[in-house]
Amino acid sequence: MKKILIFIFFFIMNLFSYGQNQSRIDALKALLNTAKEDTTRLRLYLALGDESIESVNIPKALEYYQKSLSLSKAIDFKGGISLSLMNIGHIYYSQGDTSQALKNYEN
């Protein structure tokens, strides 16, 4: 019985968090439109990718992580490149595409 109650609690919390998650995505997009520094834009792309995963919008998360990777390469920011490749690799791994995941993890 206790397990069922815990499951119901988390299920309901997940329903409420969806709307909040979309609000966070909208806020991050608004910040992205006004961000002037490349490192700020990079962090916003990474945050948008994370929020998209929370919303179970994997294609959008992959798109944001690809943008963060491109920007990281353009400004030669190794930490951003590393985080972007790790996140992209994690997406491919979770989808069962281990060869594509390894390509990203090894870069």
Side-chain angles (χ1 to χ4, degrees):
M1 181 68 174
K2 185 176 180 181
K3 288 182 182 181
I4 293 173
L5 289 175
I6 291 171
F7 173 77
I8 292 171
F9 172 76
F10 282 110
F11 179 76
I12 291 171
M13 292 304 294
N14 191 28
L15 289 176
F16 288 119
S17 71
Y18 176 76
Q20 293 173 346
N21 198 5
Q22 188 58 47
S23 297
R24 287 191 301 258
I25 288 173
D26 292 341
L28 289 168
K29 284 181 181 178
L31 288 171
L32 185 63
N33 289 332
T34 60
K36 296 186 188 329
E37 292 183 25
D38 287 336
T39 54
T40 302
R41 295 178 62 76
L42 168 68
R43 287 187 177 111
L44 289 168
Y45 281 132
L46 289 169
L48 281 163
D50 294 345
E51 291 296 328
S52 296
I53 285 178
E54 290 292 320
S55 295
V56 195
N57 189 346
I58 304 306
K60 200 66 174 170
L62 190 56
E63 178 184 327
Y64 286 127
Y65 291 144
Q66 291 286 359
K67 287 181 179 183
S68 69
L69 178 60
S70 295
L71 183 56
S72 295
K73 287 180 177 179
I75 63 174
D76 195 33
F77 181 51
K78 304 226 184 295
I81 293 170
S82 176
L83 280 172
S84 300
L85 287 171
M86 181 187 69
N87 288 329
I88 292 167
H90 183 68
I91 287 174
Y92 285 122
Y93 178 78
S94 67
Q95 292 178 336
D97 190 348
T98 54
S99 64
Q100 192 67 19
L102 281 172
K103 287 179 188 176
N104 285 282
Y105 287 141
E106 290 175 346
N107 279 332

